[in-house]
């Protein structure tokens, strides 16, 4: 499985499965990353705002896996849009790497760099404190300009972009290589997937298991398909994503589940169609944020 890849618009290869590092903290988090790398994960999905880049760097070092064999994704934090290059430098230093395979805009939501909170600054009335005189289009132009002069950034992408935001940056002539979005059978993003496919933008599935406390893992229809395949529901969800055509980046802090998730199955066309039908009637988004309003649910 670890060798399976998708090809991005610039010809770069992205592994079909990576490790999500959100909320992987402390020694348990570090050990999980070390274990993942030792058992074959080669893509790490990281972010400045996860506050654990040092820990990721320690885990890489401890695993003995060399940088050349890894695909590292990191993301520009919302409160750093107007200081993007500074965020990039801190990211490279914290991860102890000379390069990022992909650098993504984490959200199309620039927040006050000098506000009262490093992740979600607020105004006195409690509403989100957005960066004044700034917008995500300006951020995208800045990221392009940085990539043109900095070989450290191999590829650019975005996350949490809908069609509206992708259209708004298209005049730059530089489309993101990937758009990382919440993507699972309860949020199949059909419209966005079709649009991105036409434009050559690779979707990447975050929260592919339905995130923390996932209701999908308990879905009775998925349990039947899992039993039929002598597999787990998590394996079916990840295999469905890869079969549909996008990399998946599940997170786990458990060695057993990390190994389990690595095992992508070849599902039958019938199983893929059955999984696609789950959640279609009542789509659900599990990850929301106070700084962004999503336009389309599907
Ligand atoms: P996931 O969909 O990966 O689900 C993680 C949860 O599933 C954890 O509670 C984990 O528990 C559990 N789990 C993992 N494997 C199994 C299994 N085999 N069986 C049962 N339970 C399992 O959630 P995330 O929201 O973390 O998404 C994955 C990654 O996507 C993030 O870590 C992050 O890197 C990225 N992401 C990006 C976002 C963005 O804005 N760009 C937003 C959200 C996520 P346990 O640890 O106990 O195994």
């Amino acid at each position: 499985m670890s060798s399976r890849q998708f090809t991005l618009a610039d010809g770069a290869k992205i592994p079909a499965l990576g490790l999500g590092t959100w909320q992987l903290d402390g020694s348990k988090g570090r050990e999980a990353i070390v274990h993942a790398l030792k058992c074959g994960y080669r893509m790490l999905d990281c972010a400045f705002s996860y506050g654990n880049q040092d820990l990721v760097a320690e885990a890489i070092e401890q695993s003995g896996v060399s940088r050349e064999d890894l695909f590292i994704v990191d993301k520009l934090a919302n409160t750093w849009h107007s200081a993007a290059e500074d965020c990039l430098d801190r990211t490279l230093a914290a991860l102890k790497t000379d390069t990022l395979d992909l650098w993504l805009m984490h959200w199309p939501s620039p927040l006050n760099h000098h506000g009262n909170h490093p992740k979600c600054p607020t105004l006195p009335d409690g509403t989100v404190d957005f960066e004044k005189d700034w917008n995500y289009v300006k951020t995208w132009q800045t990221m392009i300009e940085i990539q043109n002069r900095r070989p450290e950034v191999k590829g650019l992408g975005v996350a949490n972009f809908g069609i509206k935001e992708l259209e708004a940056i298209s005049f730059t002539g530089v489309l993101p290589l990937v758009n990382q979005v919440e993507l699972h059978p309860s949020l199949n993003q059909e419209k966005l997937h079709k649009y991105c496919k036409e434009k050559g933008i690779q979707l990447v599935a975050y929260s592919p298991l339905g995130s923390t406390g996932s209701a999908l893992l308990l879905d009775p229809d998925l349990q039947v398909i899992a039993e039929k395949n002598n597999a787990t529901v998590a394996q079916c969800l990840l295999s469905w994503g890869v079969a549909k055509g996008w990399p998946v980046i599940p997170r786990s802090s458990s060695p057993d589940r990390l190994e389990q998730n690595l095992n992508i199955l070849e599902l039958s066309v019938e199983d893929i169609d059955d999984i696609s039908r789950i959640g279609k009637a009542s789509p659900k988004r599990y990850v929301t944020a106070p700084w962004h309003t999503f336009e389309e649910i599907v």
Side-chain angles (χ1 to χ4, degrees):
M1 166 58 220
S2 51
S3 59
R4 212 147 151 188
Q5 297 175 322
F6 290 98
T7 304
L8 302 179
D10 67 348
K13 306 278 186 198
I14 182 171
L17 182 114
L19 176 70
T21 66
W22 181 38
Q23 295 176 334
L24 291 182
D25 302 311
S27 55
K28 193 175 177 198
R30 190 185 54 242
E31 279 156 28
I33 301 168
V34 173
H35 187 76
L37 292 171
K38 282 189 170 169
C39 69
Y41 287 75
R42 287 298 173 263
M43 169 158 64
L44 295 174
D45 181 68
C46 314
F48 186 84
S49 69
Y50 297 165
N52 60 0
Q53 291 168 317
D54 293 340
L55 184 128
V56 172
E58 281 171 31
I60 294 172
E61 209 165 357
Q62 220 174 305
S63 74
V65 176
S66 66
R67 173 65 187 94
E68 303 78 74
D69 295 330
L70 290 175
F71 192 98
I72 300 183
V73 183
D74 206 285
K75 314 186 194 84
L76 171 66
N78 298 335
T79 48
W80 290 77
H81 280 218
S82 61
E85 195 157 4
D86 197 354
C87 185
L88 172 67
D89 286 331
R90 287 166 189 249
T91 291
L92 293 166
L95 286 174
K96 295 196 177 124
T97 181
D98 292 335
T99 55
L100 294 180
D101 293 281
L102 282 174
W103 188 38
L104 314 185
M105 191 189 316
H106 204 152
W107 293 86
S109 316
L111 306 184
N112 188 354
H113 183 53
H114 300 288
N116 63 0
H117 191 275
K119 285 187 193 165
C120 188
T122 49
L123 293 167
D125 66 2
T127 57
V128 175
D129 186 5
F130 289 93
E131 184 82 299
K132 288 190 183 55
D133 305 319
W134 201 270
N135 58 58
Y136 64 85
V137 178
K138 226 163 148 174
T139 311
W140 184 243
Q141 290 173 300
T142 307
M143 290 174 77
I144 294 168
E145 190 269 316
I146 293 172
Q147 197 211 5
N148 284 339
R149 339 178 237 101
R150 301 279 306 258
E152 293 97 325
V153 181
K154 292 196 189 167
L156 288 182
V158 295
N160 295 299
F161 269 47
I163 294 172
K164 183 187 85 175
E165 288 88 9
L166 291 168
E167 284 283 296
I169 60 167
S170 64
F171 78 93
T172 62
V174 181
L175 289 177
L177 293 173
V178 306
N179 182 17
Q180 188 189 104
V181 293
E182 182 176 340
L183 185 50
H184 46 67
S186 288
L187 189 67
N188 64 32
Q189 304 270 21
E190 252 173 27
K191 244 170 79 184
L192 183 63
H193 183 227
K194 186 168 176 284
Y195 175 90
C196 286
K197 222 174 161 182
E198 279 166 14
K199 302 280 178 187
I201 302 168
Q202 174 68 59
L203 280 188
V204 174
Y206 81 60
S207 304
L209 302 174
S211 205
T212 310
S214 167
L216 268 175
L217 291 172
L218 304 173
D219 183 279
D221 294 331
L222 277 169
Q223 280 171 353
V224 171
I225 295 171
E227 265 170 48
K228 196 172 94 181
N229 283 280
N230 200 16
T232 66
V233 170
Q235 286 169 327
C236 291
L237 286 168
L238 301 174
S239 308
W240 173 81
V242 173
K244 292 289 283 182
W246 47 75
V248 291
I249 47 168
R251 159 187 52 106
S252 179
S253 52
S254 139
D256 286 352
R257 289 193 283 274
L258 283 165
E259 287 176 37
Q260 191 192 113
N261 294 349
L262 205 51
N263 201 353
I264 297 293
L265 323 162
E266 289 296 335
L267 293 170
S268 68
V269 174
E270 186 197 0
D271 286 343
I272 294 166
D273 290 347
D274 285 347
I275 296 174
S276 299
R277 269 190 285 276
I278 290 167
K280 252 194 171 165
S282 52
K284 280 187 195 62
R285 190 184 285 284
Y286 297 110
V287 178
T288 57
W291 49 75
H292 185 65
T293 306
F294 286 101
E295 269 216 329
E296 59 282 306
I297 185 108
V298 286

